[in-house]
Amino acid sequence: MRKFFSSFSSTFLKMTKKIKIGVIGGSGLYNLDHMKFIEEIHPETPWGYPSSKVIIVEDPKGFRIAFLTRHGIGHKYNPSEVPSRANIAALKHIGVEIIIAFSAVGSLQEEIKCRDFVIPDQIIDRTKGIRPSTFFEGGAAAHVTFADPFNSLLADLIYSNRKCIEEPENDGQSRPRLTVHRNKTLVCMEGPAFSTRAESKLYRSWNCDVINMSVLPEAKLAKEVEIAYQMICMSTDYDCWKQDEEVVSVENVLTNLNQNVENAKKLLAEILPDLEQALNDGKFDNLKGVMKKSCITNSNIMNEETIKKLNYILPGYFE
Ligand SMILES: CSC[C@H]1O[C@H](OP(=O)(O)O)[C@H](O)[C@@H]1O
Ligand SMILES: Nc1ncnc2[nH]cnc12
């Protein structure tokens, strides 16, 4: 049996308890500053450094989260440049078992209004193959099952807590009600330019519901490390298919997002106890070990460097 010790900077959290819940913030959601800061780490993974430091925060009920911001502090990475392998590897290495990922999306359907939330269950890949999208390379081949790219239990838990943002607050102000939609199809484009009108109409003809530039390869990489992953989309625009609406721009995306960040934080706070309970009940344990079966390469023929890298994310699987 071959054993190799990692030379990559190992991540030692000061606290003894593992952080099992990870949150990835997208455009507009750059921190969880409203929660208590515990500590921060910036580990060098075999795939480089994550987009930002991983910030460990605690909510008032004592639930802890590992947070990182997808595009880095100050939004310095465009979607094609996000170091997704490092992001997912860093979260996995510190013990994360669940990721809730937030994203700003364009709506491709009339009934998904600006500021509505969408819990997608399917993805169509329109990226251009320029983003590294697997941990398995360099003498290790794996084929992960990706028929259902998101975790349906997470989707259920999020959806069942939707009332906290759907119902108007009883504060005397007439705030518009938003809707949380589920079982929708998300198309992921390469960008960074937004779509042409013809492309936008094409995606509608494919029955896509929302569009972003970020779910891939994030969702695939989470599958490869056995993390339950669900994206929560916040609709910010009608892309460019709708005649009577303003065409998407960074300006209108950010305007709608800024009005929605509080809702994102509220929903997150509401689902945390359910996530902890599901983890304690072993509801995600079915994911453990699946990558042993998805890797087709005999580990006897894997080179040392590849095994060393894979040990960072799936320790002991390939020896
Ligand atoms: C800022 S507009 C386009 C940008 O917004 C979305 O980012 P994220 O998914 O991280 O919220 C979209 O995917 C694009 O990257
Ligand atoms: N219309 C759009 N296309 C791609 N990504 C987006 N993010 C927010 N709106 C978007």
Side-chain angles (χ1 to χ4, degrees):
M1 194 198 294
R2 294 185 291 178
K3 268 203 196 298
F4 302 99
F5 296 96
S6 171
S7 59
F8 308 108
S9 82
S10 205
T11 311
F12 294 109
L13 291 173
K14 284 184 213 123
M15 76 280 291
T16 47
K17 208 174 139 199
K18 274 196 169 178
I19 308 295
K20 297 190 177 178
I21 302 172
V23 171
I24 299 179
S27 301
L29 184 62
Y30 299 118
N31 60 63
L32 294 179
D33 277 358
H34 61 299
M35 292 193 190
K36 185 174 154 199
F37 173 85
I38 303 294
E39 68 173 291
E40 61 182 26
I41 47 172
H42 203 204
E44 184 179 13
T45 77
W47 297 275
Y49 285 97
S51 314
S52 71
K53 289 179 180 166
V54 179
I55 313 287
I56 312 297
V57 291
E58 187 177 270
D59 92 331
K61 292 181 184 135
F63 301 122
R64 289 194 174 177
I65 291 176
F67 175 85
L68 69 76
T69 172
R70 181 180 294 121
H71 301 280
I73 299 293
H75 204 125
K76 65 180 171 187
Y77 296 118
N78 83 31
S80 316
E81 297 169 330
V82 170
S84 295
R85 291 193 295 187
N87 290 352
I88 298 296
L91 293 175
K92 172 70 185 190
H93 193 68
I94 62 171
V96 163
E97 295 180 19
I98 289 174
I99 292 177
I100 305 292
F102 286 91
S103 173
V105 301
S107 166
L108 298 169
Q109 299 299 335
E110 182 92 47
E111 70 275 13
I112 301 174
K113 299 179 300 302
C114 286
R115 288 191 280 133
D116 279 1
F117 279 55
V118 178
I119 307 167
D121 69 345
Q122 281 300 323
I123 299 173
I124 288 183
D125 187 357
R126 284 275 298 168
T127 63
K128 307 287 184 192
I130 61 173
R131 307 177 183 193
S133 61
T134 181
F135 291 111
F136 291 84
E137 58 183 3
H143 303 280
V144 76
T145 297
F146 202 52
D148 296 303
F150 300 106
N151 184 279
S152 61
L153 175 58
L154 285 179
D156 288 345
L157 293 180
I158 297 162
Y159 193 68
S160 63
N161 281 293
R162 69 191 181 282
K163 288 283 174 257
C164 72
I165 54 169
E166 276 192 336
E167 281 174 358
E169 282 183 20
N170 191 14
D171 59 0
Q173 296 177 18
S174 54
R175 296 206 186 156
R177 217 182 147 104
L178 66 81
T179 307
V180 180
H181 308 260
R182 67 170 304 181
N183 298 331
K184 300 293 178 194
T185 298
L186 169 60
V187 55
C188 185
M189 59 175 292
E190 186 61 54
F194 292 111
S195 308
T196 64
R197 289 185 205 275
E199 286 164 338
S200 198
K201 287 176 186 161
L202 177 70
Y203 303 144
R204 275 170 53 75
S205 78
W206 292 349
N207 292 326
C208 298
D209 299 296
V210 280
I211 181 163
N212 77 358
M213 306 177 190
S214 306
V215 72
L216 294 172
E218 208 171 82
K220 263 184 201 168
L221 295 166
K223 274 268 188 228
E224 284 192 349
V225 296
E226 303 173 354
I227 291 180
Y229 177 95
Q230 181 63 50
M231 183 163 265
I232 300 180
C233 300
M234 297 181 285
S235 166
T236 54
D237 52 84
Y238 275 108
D239 202 35
C240 58
W241 60 272
K242 202 164 181 290
Q243 285 298 334
D244 51 347
E245 286 288 338
E246 213 180 313
V247 164
V248 59
S249 68
V250 166
E251 208 179 351
N252 58 23
V253 167
L254 291 182
T255 303
N256 278 315
L257 264 184
N258 291 337
Q259 294 175 18
N260 233 353
V261 165
E262 288 314 308
N263 283 324
K265 291 179 177 172
K266 210 188 284 184
L267 183 59
L268 183 61
E270 203 76 8
I271 61 179
L272 278 179
D274 285 355
L275 298 181
E276 282 280 337
Q277 189 61 51
L279 280 163
N280 292 340
D281 293 346
K283 294 268 176 67
F284 301 99
D285 289 354
N286 58 328
L287 300 181
K288 291 179 184 155
V290 297
M291 286 315 293
K292 282 186 186 161
K293 294 177 207 147
S294 302
C295 183
I296 198 164
T297 310
N298 186 332
S299 53
N300 290 335
I301 63 150
M302 283 186 196
N303 66 61
E304 293 186 14
E305 187 59 21
T306 299
I307 291 184
K308 207 184 332 178
K309 286 169 99 170
L310 292 177
N311 262 330
Y312 189 87
I313 44 174
L314 295 165
Y317 277 29
F318 311 105
E319 296 184 314

